[in-house]
Amino acid sequence: MTKISRVFALAAALAGLAEVALASPVVEGKGKGHSPNKCKKPAKRRAWHTLGNKDKKAYIDAQLCVMAKPGNPALPGVRTLFDEMVSIHQLQTLTIHSTGTFLPWHRWYLDLHERNLRDCGFKGAIPYWDEYHEAALPLVASSDVFDPVTGFGSEGTVAPQYCLTDGPFANYTNAIGPNWNITDGCIGRHHVFNPLRDSSFVDALLLPNATDVRAQTDYCLSLTTWAEASTCIYLTPHVAGHIGMGSTRGDPFTSPTEPLFYLHHAYIDKLWADWQAQNPAARTYAIGGRNTQDPAVGFLELPGDMALEAAVVFQSEPTPEQAALVPAGDEGDNGPNVTLNHEFTAYGRIPLARARQVMDTKGGYLCYEYV
Ligand SMILES: *[C@@H]1O[C@H](CO)[C@@H](O)[C@H](O)[C@H]1NC(C)=O
Ligand SMILES: *[C@@H]1O[C@H](CO)[C@@H](O)[C@H](O)[C@H]1NC(C)=O
Ligand SMILES: *[C@@H]1O[C@H](CO)[C@@H](O)[C@H](O)[C@H]1NC(C)=O
Ligand SMILES: *[C@@H]1O[C@H](CO)[C@@H](O)[C@H](O)[C@H]1NC(C)=O
Ligand SMILES: [Cu+2]
């Protein structure tokens, strides 16, 4: 199947799923891990542009502290704790994107990032990049996350890497990336237009209103099933924000080499939380979908199947050392679909967690809310 006919097949499949799932929503019991009495005072995750300079500085200082700490030497290429996070994402990329684990895994991963920040003395919560708000800007470059003094730095000027020359992260050298590679690289950014507003370049064929990211985001949040809503959030706001960051090392494997990754993913996590909050009884524990990429599809947003994407898009293979650390993808599920029992591993940094523990942002394992 070509990418385009596959795109239409997916749209048709999603349309069919809606009715089935409406009749019998995928809801599993709350079970173990739900202890809201452990969450009396949820941390408040706020939009970056609403923070005062002191709070912005506290976040950036904690991020710099993570970049200066040593990371897990058992993970290939890792020097710092920041690299360790990149490695965890790199090793698991093929089971956490275009699968049913996408939203819960990245929620778990944000929490891991927040734990690292707190170990660096950070008292706040991860801010989010309010991409819906920033869609109004003519050029994404004018978003205040790119402020060289109070933000993450602006953009580079020298192609092809566009290495940052201002801001707090100008001199950081990433150890990992791109794709499966372990090569040193700067944090680079290059902005063109505003991908937070116009997503015509990504998936106009896939879903209605995809050329307008805000309209498409509204549409995603209006979808009533987990399968539809989670796929829609993945494709439009998620992909648009990755392009909006302008990262020159923004490949799917090592996108956390850009510290703004966490603010973008907090926004995506907020969209999921907003969707859940529309019908908590039916949606908080709604989960499902494949736990590994469909070999015939690969990444939903990329052309080709898994084999073609590996050969043509990524052009790199895991080393045997990396391959030995790649999860099968079905850990805890006892089958091909994601369940609330699905396991998340941080290779020893924290104990194994399960999907059920991250479904409720105030469930006890997690304790935060978006404001
Ligand atoms: C980066 O390195 C340059 C040259 O050594 C220095 O002038 C600049 O202050 C450094 N920036 C940061 C954020 O450390
Ligand atoms: C990735 O690694 C492979 C093999 O080590 C190499 O051929 C390729 O040029 C590297 N790609 C990049 C972008 O560094
Ligand atoms: C697409 O956008 C138009 C105009 O904003 C709106 O009227 C329409 O309902 C949207 N369609 C979907 C499927 O959201
Ligand atoms: C996996 O989920 C799909 C729907 O998303 C369903 O059709 C299929 O039967 C499930 N497979 C198993 C083994 O549960
Ligand atoms: Cu990711």
Side-chain angles (χ1 to χ4, degrees):
M1 238 201 292
T2 66
K3 195 74 179 184
I4 289 176
S5 59
R6 186 153 62 64
V7 153
F8 286 122
L10 175 77
L14 289 176
L17 266 177
E19 288 155 31
V20 178
L22 269 178
S24 58
V26 188
V27 185
E28 299 189 28
K30 291 178 177 172
K32 207 163 140 255
H34 184 79
S35 38
N37 55 328
K38 288 200 193 131
C39 181
K40 295 248 156 59
K41 281 180 72 181
K44 308 234 183 287
R45 293 189 180 176
R46 301 175 194 279
W48 179 262
H49 74 272
T50 68
L51 299 184
N53 288 346
K54 208 174 138 215
D55 287 339
K56 288 179 176 172
K57 184 172 186 304
Y59 180 80
I60 284 177
D61 285 350
Q63 181 65 92
L64 289 168
C65 163
V66 167
M67 288 172 159
K69 276 190 172 180
N72 181 350
L75 299 181
V78 167
R79 290 190 294 250
T80 72
L81 182 53
F82 186 76
D83 301 334
E84 178 180 320
M85 292 297 286
V86 178
S87 177
I88 292 169
H89 187 273
Q90 179 192 42
L91 294 167
Q92 303 187 34
T93 288
L94 296 176
T95 52
I96 59 174
H97 302 111
S98 304
T99 63
T101 58
F102 170 68
L103 290 171
W105 189 91
H106 286 80
R107 179 174 281 177
W108 164 83
Y109 184 71
L110 283 174
D111 177 63
L112 178 58
H113 172 62
E114 206 170 67
R115 288 165 188 254
N116 290 339
L117 297 173
R118 294 214 169 114
D119 287 347
C120 274
F122 182 60
K123 303 275 188 278
I126 303 176
Y128 64 93
W129 191 21
D130 189 344
E131 295 169 29
Y132 204 99
H133 175 265
E134 312 295 74
L137 300 169
L139 295 172
V140 74
S142 50
S143 172
D144 73 352
V145 296
F146 299 120
D147 189 294
V149 179
T150 61
F152 287 66
S154 62
E155 63 183 327
T157 53
V158 182
Q161 290 302 316
Y162 295 96
C163 294
L164 299 186
T165 57
D166 64 18
F169 306 117
N171 298 336
Y172 186 75
T173 303
N174 277 302
I176 294 176
N179 303 316
W180 287 109
N181 286 43
I182 309 278
T183 40
D184 279 2
C186 65
I187 297 173
R189 278 187 217 124
H190 181 52
H191 298 304
V192 275
F193 54 112
N194 191 348
L196 305 178
R197 173 169 48 202
D198 176 9
S199 65
S200 52
F201 53 90
V202 37
D203 54 7
L205 286 172
L206 192 66
L207 294 158
N209 287 331
T211 57
D212 176 338
V213 183
R214 280 176 294 192
Q216 184 62 14
T217 302
D218 292 343
Y219 174 69
C220 294
L221 293 192
S222 77
L223 296 170
T224 54
T225 68
W226 163 256
E228 287 183 300
S230 60
T231 303
C232 187
I233 290 171
Y234 175 79
L235 280 169
T236 306
H238 167 244
V239 171
H242 272 291
I243 296 169
M245 289 187 270
S247 311
T248 48
R249 211 176 221 191
D251 70 89
F253 290 73
T254 63
S255 44
T257 50
E258 159 65 86
L260 196 53
F261 171 98
Y262 295 100
L263 273 65
H264 165 52
H265 264 278
Y267 171 70
I268 296 306
D269 186 54
K270 177 182 186 294
L271 295 182
W272 178 26
D274 289 348
W275 179 81
Q276 290 178 307
Q278 290 175 46
N279 186 350
R283 296 187 185 174
T284 306
Y285 288 86
I287 198 167
R290 300 177 59 101
N291 51 27
T292 55
Q293 282 188 353
D294 182 344
V297 175
F299 285 85
L300 287 168
E301 74 277 24
L302 296 178
D305 57 24
M306 274 183 92
L308 196 73
E309 287 171 1
V312 176
V313 184
F314 308 132
Q315 297 185 14
S316 64
E317 294 284 338
T319 62
E321 192 196 4
Q322 287 172 322
L325 294 163
V326 172
D330 62 353
E331 286 78 5
D333 291 329
N334 194 27
N337 291 341
V338 182
T339 67
L340 292 174
N341 220 34
H342 187 87
E343 288 175 8
F344 302 129
T345 181
Y347 304 98
R349 171 67 55 188
I350 53 171
L352 280 179
R354 295 195 187 269
R356 89 164 39 79
Q357 294 175 288
V358 304
M359 302 305 285
D360 182 349
T361 68
K362 293 183 263 192
Y365 179 81
L366 301 178
C367 189
Y368 66 86
E369 61 192 355
Y370 290 97
V371 293

